[in-house]
Amino acid sequence: MDIEFNKREDQNRLKLSEINRLLSEIKKGGGEKRLQKLREEGKMTARERVEYLLDKNSDSIEIGAFAGYEMYEEHGGCPSGGVVVVMGYVSGKQCIIVANDASVKAGAWFPITGKKNLRAQEIAMENKLPIIYLVDSAGVYLPMQDEIFPDKEHFGRIFRNNAKMSSMGIIQISAVMGSCVAGGAYLPIMSDEAMIVDKTGSIFLAGSYLVKAAIGESIDNETLGGATTHCSISGVTDYKAKDDQDALNRIKKIMKSIGGYEKAGFDRIESFPPKESPENIFGIMPASRAEQYDTYEIIKCLVDQSEYEEYKPDYGKSIVCATARIDGWSVGIIANQRKMVKNGKGEVQFGGVIYSDSADKATRFIANCNQRKIPLVFLQDVTGFMVGSKSEHGGIIKDGAKMVNAVANSVVPKFTIITGNSYGAGNYAMCGKAYDPRLIVAWPWADLAVMGGAQAAKVLAQIQESTLKKQGKVISEEDHKELVDTISKKYQKQTEATYAAARLWTDAIINPTDTRKWISMGIEAANHSPITEKFNLGVIQV
């Protein structure tokens, strides 16, 4: 290992360490005092419930842990969006678990809470995975009700999805382990099986105070909508559990009884670790997003036995296309080459930029993978498409459109790993969030933006300076530098991996050494859902 490798490794591990530190704080939810209060009420915390439910010594991945990060500070914050979402195994069956965190504003729904719940349901629907709801929520966060209640992707969409999943044959199980009020009260009865914890769980459209105000009836919450009421009188719930553990044990028994499923048939053989250690990624990736590196070295750290079969290796070199195995699964890899290369004409091409020949190659490769029913993995470190008269005259827009078309119409499952930059239309062509990857994650140092921070700062500064000059103001060199620095700092904050993850533009910020696990579990999940559509590019300019 050389000195440069060691420097990169130190800087990148520091970045991961910072992400892990933030994650540790986020996992405290509303804070130790509120978590302890839940325990004193006889409850387990949201994360304790999930941990108890999951099979011991089995893999799991958390979706949206950074949701809400540094958002809603004026409302006291909303760590993890006030809900824990995990893909894992219960009684040997892969599933999605959604657990309200009552330590965060009593589990109330912020706008990001709704978005995260919908993402969990989307994953379950795409992959036909069973979904388990551990309900403990005060309902919509009223100060922000206008941002969570009425729109298509708001609170009501949850129950629409309940109905759709039921018709699709997707198993839904609900355990009411705390409050379940107002619109949220529909969720248990729209699930296949529902249970409620005695004395701590309650379900009602309106609590005792609102009932008193609305119709003048005096009644306590337990009589109104407690476990005995709903198991013995209303029939809303199927089982009464004596405590949290009893409810979770019953869920385990239900999951154990679930029958098999029709598989999509993605190919898997015996898994082998890469010959090149995934730990080497820390030393390969540069600390600066502008520096070059060889993408082949990254691929070797991710694929079984570090072996791959490259498609058109001498053509369109700014994108690497290859078939390989990840944890035994057959995959097609599309990766941006981050070092400068020469095309077949001897012309130099910049690393991380998509050129016409590369877009053409990627389009054909995507079509081939669809033909062979091979899941796609995008390793995204892209600064965009090549610009300038030569590229425009060569039809870069046409070739780029073909690639975007292929990504959009691909019917095999897609998985996106943002390893570095994710800028502009390059984000779209390399299967950004808008193009329905089954899972999309970022490495700790990833940047997501319409363009790089330095370029954006210069453009925005030019616009502002032009406005000031029209007003007759003189801009000194010092003023120019101060303006660029101010814009750059603000813009850079918005490009960071944590900013994107907070808004669920990505599902997680992960340790690069966990990349294989995310892809493997993602393909296993996708294997629950047979492909029913045919790949069709539609109308394209050839």
Side-chain angles (χ1 to χ4, degrees):
M1 301 295 177
D2 58 23
I3 294 176
E4 186 60 33
F5 183 98
N6 292 336
K7 283 183 180 178
R8 290 176 170 185
E9 184 177 35
D10 288 345
Q11 289 173 305
N12 288 326
R13 286 194 182 280
L14 280 173
K15 189 67 176 177
L16 175 62
S17 178
E18 175 61 13
I19 292 297
N20 287 338
R21 185 191 67 78
L22 293 174
L23 194 54
S24 179
E25 287 299 312
I26 286 169
K27 287 184 176 181
K28 294 176 182 177
E32 288 295 346
K33 287 184 179 179
R34 291 182 183 177
L35 293 173
Q36 187 56 36
K37 185 179 178 182
L38 292 175
R39 297 184 185 106
E40 290 168 358
E41 293 171 357
K43 294 181 176 182
M44 301 166 75
T45 69
R47 292 187 179 278
E48 287 169 350
R49 288 166 176 168
V50 172
E51 184 179 358
Y52 184 86
L53 195 55
L54 290 169
D55 293 346
K56 296 295 181 285
N57 302 316
S58 65
D59 283 336
S60 64
I61 54 179
E62 183 171 353
I63 311 293
F66 273 89
Y69 174 68
E70 292 188 334
M71 298 169 67
Y72 317 118
E73 295 301 314
E74 68 276 22
H75 297 277
C78 186
S80 265
V83 61
V84 180
V85 174
V86 170
M87 179 191 289
Y89 303 88
V90 176
S91 298
K93 309 290 175 35
Q94 194 176 21
C95 61
I96 299 291
I97 303 171
V98 181
N100 298 116
D101 187 349
S103 76
V104 180
K105 292 287 192 296
W109 286 51
F110 283 68
I112 197 66
T113 315
K115 189 174 182 179
K116 185 170 175 180
N117 274 267
L118 289 172
R119 177 58 178 147
Q121 289 186 322
E122 179 182 43
I123 292 171
M125 292 170 80
E126 284 181 330
N127 300 293
K128 291 185 168 59
L129 286 180
I131 185 166
I132 299 166
Y133 307 99
L134 307 181
V135 186
D136 193 347
S137 170
V140 167
Y141 183 61
L142 290 178
M144 302 188 76
Q145 64 85 26
D146 60 323
E147 296 182 49
I148 185 60
F149 169 64
D151 209 347
K152 180 179 178 180
E153 300 298 331
H154 283 178
F155 193 76
R157 190 76 172 183
I158 302 292
F159 315 119
R160 176 264 187 194
N161 286 350
N162 288 143
K164 286 290 186 181
M165 281 192 279
S166 184
S167 70
M168 293 167 67
I170 296 171
I171 294 161
Q172 300 176 81
I173 304 169
S174 290
V176 180
M177 312 178 87
S179 296
C180 184
V181 302
Y186 289 103
L187 188 141
I189 201 59
M190 296 187 79
S191 298
D192 300 320
E193 300 196 50
M195 61 205 72
I196 185 169
V197 178
D198 195 22
K199 299 298 185 288
T200 57
S202 59
I203 309 171
F204 33 66
L205 295 179
S208 58
Y209 291 120
L210 186 54
V211 168
K212 177 70 174 177
I215 63 173
E217 180 184 3
S218 295
I219 189 170
D220 63 89
N221 281 337
E222 183 63 26
T223 306
L224 181 66
T228 299
T229 294
H230 286 308
C231 288
S232 304
I233 301 173
S234 73
V236 167
T237 49
D238 304 314
Y239 309 104
K240 183 200 289 188
K242 63 181 181 181
D243 54 27
D244 282 8
Q245 286 193 1
D246 187 31
L248 297 171
N249 286 335
R250 186 172 290 276
I251 292 174
K252 291 181 180 183
K253 290 178 182 177
I254 293 171
M255 290 294 291
K256 189 178 291 185
S257 70
I258 294 173
Y261 57 91
E262 183 183 356
K263 294 184 179 181
F266 303 121
D267 187 60
R268 190 181 198 184
I269 61 174
E270 183 181 356
S271 173
F272 292 94
K275 290 179 181 176
E276 300 293 332
S277 172
E279 297 285 349
N280 289 346
I281 291 171
F282 292 98
I284 296 168
M285 292 296 297
S288 166
R289 298 279 58 79
E291 291 180 40
Q292 298 182 44
Y293 63 93
D294 191 345
T295 299
Y296 290 103
E297 294 182 21
I298 296 295
I299 294 173
K300 289 175 184 177
C301 293
L302 296 175
V303 302
D304 290 13
Q305 296 186 310
S306 300
E307 295 177 352
Y308 55 88
E309 185 175 344
E310 190 171 0
Y311 175 76
K312 290 184 179 287
D314 298 322
Y315 177 70
K317 293 182 179 181
S318 74
I319 286 183
V320 177
C321 297
T323 51
R325 298 271 175 182
I326 292 180
D327 197 23
W329 293 104
S330 175
V331 297
I333 295 171
I334 301 169
N336 302 109
Q337 174 56 285
R338 276 312 312 267
K339 72 173 186 178
M340 294 179 73
V341 294
K342 286 186 179 181
N343 63 16
K345 300 175 183 178
E347 300 166 333
V348 174
Q349 296 183 337
F350 295 102
V353 179
I354 302 176
Y355 290 78
S356 286
D357 54 357
S358 301
D360 174 63
K361 178 173 79 172
T363 301
R364 296 188 189 195
F365 182 71
I366 290 168
N368 285 349
C369 287
N370 274 268
Q371 186 83 341
R372 295 161 63 183
K373 202 156 76 171
I374 299 174
L376 293 166
V377 174
F378 292 82
L379 300 180
Q380 192 182 110
D381 192 349
V382 59
T383 55
F385 286 89
M386 191 58 191
V387 297
S389 60
K390 186 174 182 179
S391 292
E392 298 292 1
H393 296 170
I396 185 65
I397 296 175
K398 177 184 67 176
D399 291 317
K402 284 194 295 186
M403 184 177 174
V404 169
N405 200 318
V407 173
N409 285 301
S410 178
V411 297
V412 294
K414 298 167 290 193
F415 302 90
T416 302
I417 316 297
I418 303 174
T419 63
N421 299 317
S422 179
Y423 295 156
N427 170 283
Y428 304 154
M430 291 295 293
C431 198
K433 185 68 181 287
Y435 290 79
D436 298 323
R438 296 294 176 97
L439 294 170
I440 177 170
V441 297
W443 287 354
W445 43 79
D447 277 353
L448 283 79
V450 72
M451 66 174 71
Q455 298 93 321
K458 289 176 183 177
V459 171
L460 291 169
Q462 287 172 6
I463 294 170
Q464 289 193 31
E465 286 175 355
S466 177
T467 302
L468 292 171
K469 286 176 181 177
K470 286 178 182 178
Q471 297 171 358
K473 297 180 180 178
V474 179
I475 307 298
S476 68
E477 188 174 328
E478 188 176 325
D479 291 336
H480 170 78
K481 186 178 183 305
E482 185 178 347
L483 182 61
V484 170
D485 287 346
T486 301
I487 294 172
S488 184
K489 286 178 183 177
K490 181 180 178 181
Y491 190 89
Q492 189 59 43
K493 182 69 176 175
Q494 295 176 356
T495 71
E496 292 176 356
T498 50
Y499 192 92
R503 289 151 182 80
L504 291 174
W505 300 342
T506 61
D507 291 318
I509 303 171
I510 68 168
N511 184 331
T513 61
D514 287 334
T515 303
R516 283 169 53 86
K517 179 176 75 171
W518 275 78
I519 293 170
S520 179
M521 287 189 67
I523 298 176
E524 183 182 353
N527 208 31
H528 286 71
S529 182
I531 297 172
T532 57
E533 300 175 272
K534 287 189 176 181
F535 177 67
N536 189 336
L537 275 178
V539 177
I540 59 171
Q541 296 287 338
V542 295

